[in-house]
Amino acid sequence: MLEIESIKNGVQSGNFLTLAKAISAIENNANDATQFLESLRPSAIPIIGITGPPGAGKSTLIAALIQEWVEAGKRIAVLSVDPSSPFHQGAILGDRIRMREWYLHPQVFIRSLASRGHLGGLNSTTIELTTLLQCAGFDIIILETVGVGQSEVEVAALADTTLVVLVPEAGDDIQMMKSGLMEVADIFVVNKSDRPDADRFVKNLRLMLAPAFHQKKEEIAIIKTVASTREGVSDLAAAITTHQGYMLDNDRKTLLLTEKAYRLIQKQKMKPLQIGWLQKWV
């Protein structure tokens, strides 16, 4: 039987084995998982969503943010989603390489998840897993999407603060992305900004963020970083904290809770439609 108190005690001592078992049970829809989830009372722990095109340096940026927050004495949980193969259902969990120095740290819990064919850049149990992490004694939760294009915007409906990570070479690709990925950002991160034309890219990005395009009350920050050397990462952490302050004063929290409730109801109603049942009619 899953118990939240034993999970909390493990997190406090840096032992994440019980937490990892609970996540596996939720992912695999174990018999006692539903009852366990219904007993949870999550705290208002900030969820930071990080998305962007492939090669933008999302995992490296997360590693740099982890170092920033660990040095401040915070406990960090990371859910990193990688795409599943449509043929053998496996996934290459690349974040295990880029964040390898944090996997055994007592203040950091990192869980790699396969998307399992779920669209939107996340895993189908992301809502349940983030709820669990909000009860487990962490200070910050990070969601990293699969990062495969403009349709991977589901993270904006689940995260308090959404970071869109870009690189200077994106260029005219912004025009293709702005109808999807570019509209979900609370903070833009121009990573690898030591490359040529980074300043021009930031200037063009600011021009694109005219009031007619983005109907948001607060100003959208654009932060230049070089994640591999931690340049600009302190400024990014400060921008995230500032945005969390906005979250306390607007209706975004209500919208997020409503969206989560809708997705959970939708998932529950779809449970009877199992693949095996559908195959009878194909």
Side-chain angles (χ1 to χ4, degrees), residues 60 63 86 135 155 168 189-190 213 219 259 271:
T60 306
C135 299
V155 66
V189 182
V190 180
F213 182 78
E219 182 181 354
E259 181 69 23
K271 273 186 178 180

Side-chain angles (χ1 to χ4, degrees), residues 25-278:
I26 293 170
E27 269 200 294
N28 297 319
N29 197 25
N31 293 332
D32 57 346
T34 300
Q35 183 179 356
F36 171 68
L37 287 168
E38 289 174 352
S39 70
L40 297 180
R41 298 294 181 268
S43 304
I45 305 302
I47 299 174
I48 313 301
I50 299 182
T51 188
K58 297 186 293 298
S59 295
T60 306
L61 184 67
I62 290 172
L65 282 170
I66 289 173
Q67 184 170 349
E68 187 76 18
W69 286 322
V70 163
E71 290 175 355
K74 298 184 182 295
R75 288 188 176 89
I76 315 299
V78 181
L79 295 179
S80 188
V81 185
D82 281 294
S84 298
S85 167
F87 303 105
H88 55 71
Q89 304 303 313
I92 298 176
L93 305 175
D95 57 281
R96 291 183 181 272
I97 299 172
R98 295 181 179 88
M99 290 186 275
R100 60 187 179 275
E101 68 268 32
W102 298 110
Y103 265 90
L104 299 178
H105 197 283
Q107 291 173 244
V108 182
F109 174 76
I110 301 175
R111 179 64 177 240
S112 301
L113 303 171
S115 63
R116 300 191 179 191
H118 182 76
L119 300 178
L122 296 175
N123 178 286
S124 61
T125 58
T126 301
I127 297 177
E128 293 92 329
L129 297 183
T130 52
T131 300
L132 170 60
L133 294 175
Q134 286 180 313
C135 299
F138 292 101
D139 299 304
I140 296 173
I141 299 166
I142 299 175
L143 296 180
E144 181 189 7
T145 73
V146 298
V148 294
Q150 70 180 49
S151 64
E152 316 312 315
V153 296
E154 185 179 343
V155 66
L158 306 181
D160 301 308
T161 301
T162 301
L163 276 57
V164 173
V165 184
L166 303 169
V167 289
E169 291 82 359
D172 291 338
D173 290 345
I174 287 179
Q175 299 302 319
M176 294 184 292
M177 291 189 293
K178 70 180 183 181
S179 62
L181 184 62
M182 301 297 283
E183 291 179 331
V184 305
D186 296 308
I187 299 172
F188 281 105
V189 182
V190 180
N191 194 30
K192 306 179 184 180
S193 60
D194 54 342
R195 294 182 176 180
D197 294 330
D199 291 335
R200 187 176 68 175
F201 178 81
V202 171
K203 179 180 178 181
N204 291 336
L205 189 56
R206 291 190 189 281
L207 290 174
M208 191 193 73
L209 298 179
F213 182 78
H214 264 283
Q215 303 297 324
K216 293 190 177 183
K217 295 179 182 178
E218 68 273 9
E219 182 181 354
I220 299 174
I222 302 175
I223 309 296
K224 292 168 59 178
T225 64
V226 183
S228 58
T229 62
R230 291 189 63 190
E231 182 180 338
V233 174
S234 296
D235 294 336
L236 176 57
I240 292 172
T241 301
T242 299
H243 184 266
Q244 290 296 313
Y246 290 137
M247 289 292 297
L248 299 176
D249 302 325
N250 62 22
D251 298 328
R252 177 77 180 276
K253 283 285 187 183
T254 302
L255 292 174
L256 285 173
L257 288 173
T258 303
E259 181 69 23
K260 289 180 180 180
Y262 170 78
R263 290 175 186 272
L264 287 172
I265 292 171
Q266 183 184 49
K267 182 179 177 181
Q268 188 69 25
K269 292 294 185 182
M270 291 295 290
K271 273 186 178 180
L273 301 178
Q274 300 296 332
I275 295 298
W277 182 87
L278 290 174

